[in-house]
Amino acid sequence: MTKNGNSLDQRTFDKLSRLYIIALSTIALSVIVSQILVRNHLDNQESDSTIINVAGRQRMLSQKLTKDVVSLSISNDEKSRILLKNKIRETLNLWQISHYSLQNGNDSLGLPKNNSEKIKNKFRAINSVFDTISNASKLIVNQLDENPAISIDSLASNIKKITKNERSFLLMMDDIVNQYDLEAEEKVDWLRKLEFSLMALTLLILLVEFLFIFWPTAKSVRATLSDLLSAEKRAKKMAFDADELSFAKEKSIKELRALSHAMDETLLFARISASGNVIHIGNKFSRLFKLSKINKEILFWKILSNKESEQLLIENLINQNKKTGWQGEVKGTLKNDETIWLEMSIIPYIPSEDSLELLIIASEITERKMAQLEIERLTAISFEEKMNQQKIISSKIIENQEKEQNRIAKDVHDGIGQMLTGLKYNLESININDLDKTKIKIKDLKELTTNIIKGVRTATFNLTPPELSDHGIVPAITKLTHELGRLTSKEIIFYNKTHFNLRLDSLKEINIYRITQEAINNAIKYAESSHILVSLSHSKKILSIVIDDNGIGFEPSKVKKVKNGDGGMGMTFMKERIKYIDGRMFLNSEPGKGTRVTFNIPI
């Protein structure tokens, strides 16, 4: 470009610069003037909402004052009058301050002294009413201060003044509030017009500057910007690629450092060579095994234990799994001979083609392992105790079976046998020639025969009834309750709630029958009950039998344990039988409230 061209460009540039300065200065000046005018108007209007709020509150205060004064006329209690008097004085004080502040201004309330002539005239009109209510209220307060028990008649004239003028005050105060509101709206309208005018002026200035300054300048700058933008794009792309590479490198380094620090501080982490030498060991590992300084030549298994047998096991473990990896539990020994258990993982790691390292990641599980070993020890002890207890139960069951057989034999021998012997002697002693004695003998023989039959039935009843094998559990329990009720003269009732009539496995049926029989016999022998209810119900999966009695009851917690070898065998037999058929037994009893035994059997 020539010298003249350069000079022309410089003059054009200087001219454009001056035009830009003038344009920007004009815009700035219009904005400043607009802000000054708007701010000045807003400052003048700032107190309008406060004035309207206080003026509106005057209506509420006058109503509250009138309400409290009227309340005096129906209050005879001196305490209530004193309370009303204090409320009237407080309301009156606020009412007077607000009234005078609206006219004369008050900095603390934010009320300026700039009322319009119309509002001043309205206040001149309302002041007489205000003074009448205010003076009457003051007189009432003063009278109550002197004598709280003053009669209502003495206060009546002042109360009447207040109630008479209160409506006038409200109407005039409404007029004042409306005037305040009207003037505030006029100010807002004026502000809207001002803002619109200023906005129009600003837009006009911007339009002129755009047509005569910015648009010509934009045309001359556009070509230069196009070249600059192309160059900028190329430079940005190069810079972006360089930044991306740098950022990725820095991020990888930070992540590796953070990961390394986290593993050192939170995990038992170490790196060892394929031969077992320590390359790096984490801080937590060092603290756990109290390593003040790491010798790079030390073998890893010598860190974990000071016992040769444990070191050998760990060495073999690492050598056998250094190519495949391993995870499991390892036992070690600290320097103070304290046992430590680690859950350890061995992970093969190849940092380069010709080298192999192992990553060791472990966590301490000493407490968990000790607890596990203790559980195993206690489980073994518990199993041994259960076996001993089962032996006692088995011996008791065999012993009771023998007793039951001896009892049946004894019942047959002592009862039925003796009665049969008596029957034989009575038959031999009959003299057919003495008809009177013969009749008596025959009558005694009939009674003796009846007792023999009853004894045979009683002795054989505890044996398996034919109803159980022929018809099932429900007919067998029905027959059981009927016969026991007849033989013991107790009211024993069987109630099949859900009309169960299915057949079960024979072993399950005989065990259900025996535990039911045992529960009923317990209620007969020990409960001293007069009524026994046996109820049966079932669902899709459960058969439930409940035996209730109205006997003396007992405390289940005081029943002696079977393992002591003392008593309670009937309950034990029931538990063993119900356990054998995978059922559950529930016992509920209280002294004086009877007993309930519940059996739930899967079907």
Side-chain angles (χ1 to χ4, degrees):
M1 186 177 288
T2 61
K3 184 176 179 181
N4 290 333
N6 289 334
S7 176
L8 181 60
D9 289 342
Q10 185 63 41
R11 288 197 299 272
T12 303
F13 177 77
D14 293 339
K15 181 180 179 181
L16 289 174
S17 298
R18 288 194 295 271
L19 289 173
Y20 272 119
I21 293 172
I22 293 170
L24 294 174
S25 300
T26 304
I27 294 172
L29 181 62
S30 66
V31 171
I32 292 170
V33 171
S34 299
Q35 286 297 314
I36 292 172
L37 292 174
V38 172
R39 180 57 58 186
N40 184 51
H41 187 79
L42 289 175
D43 290 341
N44 292 333
Q45 200 177 357
E46 186 177 6
S47 60
D48 286 353
S49 60
T50 304
I51 293 171
I52 293 172
N53 183 41
V54 173
R57 187 180 64 185
Q58 285 298 90
R59 298 178 72 260
M60 179 273 293
L61 291 174
S62 68
Q63 290 175 322
K64 185 175 185 298
L65 183 65
T66 304
K67 177 185 174 185
D68 292 339
V69 168
V70 171
S71 298
L72 286 171
S73 62
I74 60 173
S75 175
N76 297 321
D77 179 50
E78 184 177 333
K79 186 176 180 181
S80 299
R81 284 189 170 194
I82 293 173
L83 182 61
L84 285 170
K85 178 198 68 176
N86 293 334
K87 290 172 68 176
I88 291 169
R89 178 184 282 120
E90 183 180 348
T91 304
L92 180 61
N93 183 42
L94 179 59
W95 190 51
Q96 289 176 331
I97 291 172
S98 300
H99 187 77
Y100 295 131
S101 297
L102 286 170
Q103 300 177 68
N104 303 320
N106 187 316
D107 292 337
S108 61
L109 293 178
L111 300 175
K113 186 182 177 183
N114 59 352
N115 289 333
S116 65
E117 197 60 36
K118 287 184 179 180
I119 290 177
K120 289 179 181 179
N121 291 334
K122 291 181 185 295
F123 269 112
R124 292 189 192 101
I126 201 175
N127 279 340
S128 59
V129 179
F130 174 81
D131 292 337
T132 301
I133 297 174
S134 176
N135 293 331
S137 300
K138 288 179 181 177
L139 288 173
I140 290 172
V141 171
N142 293 333
Q143 286 176 319
L144 289 173
D145 283 338
E146 294 174 1
N147 182 14
I150 190 171
S151 65
I152 297 301
D153 294 337
S154 301
L155 302 174
S157 61
N158 288 321
I159 293 173
K160 186 175 180 181
K161 287 180 182 180
I162 294 171
T163 56
K164 182 179 179 181
N165 288 279
E166 194 258 346
R167 180 173 174 77
S168 298
F169 180 83
L170 287 176
L171 293 173
M172 299 173 78
M173 200 67 215
D174 276 344
D175 193 24
I176 292 173
V177 171
N178 291 335
Q179 184 61 34
Y180 273 130
D181 187 53
L182 180 62
E183 292 180 3
E185 288 182 357
E186 290 175 353
K187 291 179 181 178
V188 171
D189 289 339
W190 186 88
L191 180 61
R192 287 195 191 100
K193 293 176 182 178
L194 176 63
E195 287 180 338
F196 182 77
S197 300
L198 293 173
M199 182 183 68
L201 178 61
T202 303
L203 290 175
L204 181 61
I205 294 172
L206 288 173
L207 179 61
V208 171
E209 291 178 350
F210 175 77
L211 293 174
F212 295 99
I213 297 176
F214 296 116
W215 181 250
T217 304
K219 287 182 178 180
S220 62
V221 171
R222 186 176 299 167
T224 305
L225 286 178
S226 179
D227 295 337
L228 291 174
L229 287 173
S230 298
E232 184 184 14
K233 285 181 181 179
R234 292 192 296 272
K236 279 185 177 180
K237 188 177 184 307
M238 294 174 64
F240 179 78
D241 292 342
D243 287 343
E244 283 291 313
L245 291 172
S246 176
F247 177 75
K249 180 180 178 182
E250 185 178 355
K251 183 179 178 182
S252 299
I253 293 172
K254 286 181 178 180
E255 288 177 351
L256 287 172
R257 287 176 179 173
L259 179 60
S260 177
H261 179 74
M263 293 179 70
D264 281 350
E265 294 297 329
T266 60
L267 295 176
L268 298 175
F269 170 73
R271 283 170 54 214
I272 63 175
S273 65
S275 58
N277 295 99
V278 174
I279 298 173
H280 170 78
I281 193 164
N283 295 333
K284 190 172 182 180
F285 230 136
S286 299
R287 289 194 297 269
L288 180 62
F289 287 90
K290 297 179 176 57
L291 303 174
S292 56
K293 187 177 180 181
I294 301 299
N295 182 2
K296 294 298 180 69
E297 300 299 325
I298 190 171
L299 295 171
F300 179 69
W301 41 83
K302 290 190 177 181
I303 293 177
L304 295 187
S305 179
N306 55 15
K307 294 182 179 180
E308 187 174 348
S309 59
E310 293 177 353
Q311 291 176 358
L312 183 60
L313 286 173
I314 299 170
E315 180 183 1
N316 292 335
L317 183 67
I318 291 175
N319 289 331
Q320 291 171 5
N321 299 280
K322 60 184 178 182
K323 292 184 178 180
T324 58
W326 178 84
Q327 183 176 359
E329 296 177 355
V330 172
K331 181 184 178 184
T333 305
L334 300 176
K335 291 181 178 179
N336 57 2
D337 292 332
E338 181 181 347
T339 299
I340 184 170
W341 284 89
L342 301 176
E343 186 171 5
M344 191 170 75
S345 297
I346 302 172
I347 304 170
Y349 166 62
I350 303 175
S352 59
E353 293 182 359
D354 57 348
S355 65
L356 173 66
E357 294 181 3
L358 300 176
L359 301 180
I360 307 295
I361 301 175
S363 59
E364 186 185 356
I365 57 167
T366 305
E367 290 186 8
R368 189 183 78 189
K369 188 65 177 179
M370 292 301 181
Q372 179 183 344
L373 295 174
E374 181 64 15
I375 290 171
E376 291 175 357
R377 186 184 69 82
L378 293 175
T379 301
I381 294 173
S382 176
F383 178 75
E384 186 176 349
E385 287 182 354
K386 285 183 178 179
M387 291 298 294
N388 292 333
Q389 183 177 347
Q390 190 65 39
K391 289 178 182 178
I392 295 172
I393 293 172
S394 299
S395 64
K396 285 290 183 181
I397 290 173
I398 294 171
E399 181 183 342
N400 274 27
Q401 288 175 343
E402 291 297 324
K403 286 182 179 179
E404 183 66 13
Q405 291 176 359
N406 291 333
R407 182 190 66 77
I408 294 172
K410 190 170 182 284
D411 286 346
V412 172
H413 179 271
D414 295 344
I416 300 171
Q418 289 179 5
M419 285 189 286
L420 288 172
T421 303
L423 177 62
K424 175 178 177 293
Y425 288 145
N426 279 324
L427 287 172
E428 291 175 351
S429 65
I430 291 176
N431 185 0
I432 59 174
N433 295 322
D434 191 347
L435 295 177
D436 293 334
K437 289 184 178 180
T438 299
K439 289 179 180 179
I440 294 171
K441 288 279 187 181
I442 290 173
K443 183 179 180 181
D444 292 339
L445 287 172
K446 287 181 180 180
E447 183 178 352
L448 184 58
T449 303
T450 301
N451 290 335
I452 291 172
I453 293 171
K454 186 176 180 180
V456 171
R457 287 179 176 176
T458 303
T460 60
F461 187 72
N462 286 328
L463 301 177
T464 304
E467 289 81 7
L468 184 62
S469 58
D470 293 342
H471 304 292
I473 188 66
V474 173
I477 294 177
T478 304
K479 180 70 178 297
L480 173 69
T481 54
H482 175 73
E483 290 296 324
L484 286 178
R486 188 175 62 81
L487 293 172
T488 61
S489 300
K490 295 182 183 292
E491 187 175 1
I492 304 175
I493 299 172
F494 173 62
Y495 177 36
N496 187 355
K497 291 182 179 180
T498 55
H499 306 290
F500 179 76
N501 59 359
L502 301 177
R503 291 302 304 267
L504 305 176
D505 178 78
S506 59
L507 285 176
K508 186 169 288 188
E509 286 186 338
I510 189 62
N511 279 286
I512 293 172
Y513 180 82
R514 290 304 183 198
I515 59 178
T516 305
Q517 183 184 40
E518 183 68 34
I520 297 173
N521 284 332
N522 286 344
I524 294 171
K525 293 178 184 178
Y526 309 117
E528 299 180 14
S529 59
S530 59
H531 294 76
I532 300 171
L533 174 63
V534 181
S535 55
L536 182 145
S537 61
H538 78 289
S539 62
K540 289 183 179 180
K541 296 182 179 180
I542 297 294
L543 174 67
S544 180
I545 299 175
V546 181
I547 298 94
D548 289 297
D549 67 65
N550 63 343
I552 58 175
F554 64 97
E555 292 186 20
S557 61
K558 293 187 177 180
V559 175
K560 294 182 179 179
K561 301 297 182 183
V562 176
K563 67 180 181 181
N564 294 333
D566 303 323
M569 289 305 298
M571 192 69 65
T572 302
F573 294 152
M574 286 194 290
K575 288 181 178 178
E576 287 298 313
R577 286 185 181 274
I578 199 71
K579 182 179 178 182
Y580 179 75
I581 57 177
D582 297 325
R584 296 185 68 187
M585 183 179 80
F586 303 93
L587 178 64
N588 297 285
S589 182
E590 290 184 36
K593 295 185 178 180
T595 302
R596 166 173 285 190
V597 182
T598 304
F599 303 107
N600 290 335
I601 304 102
I603 57 177

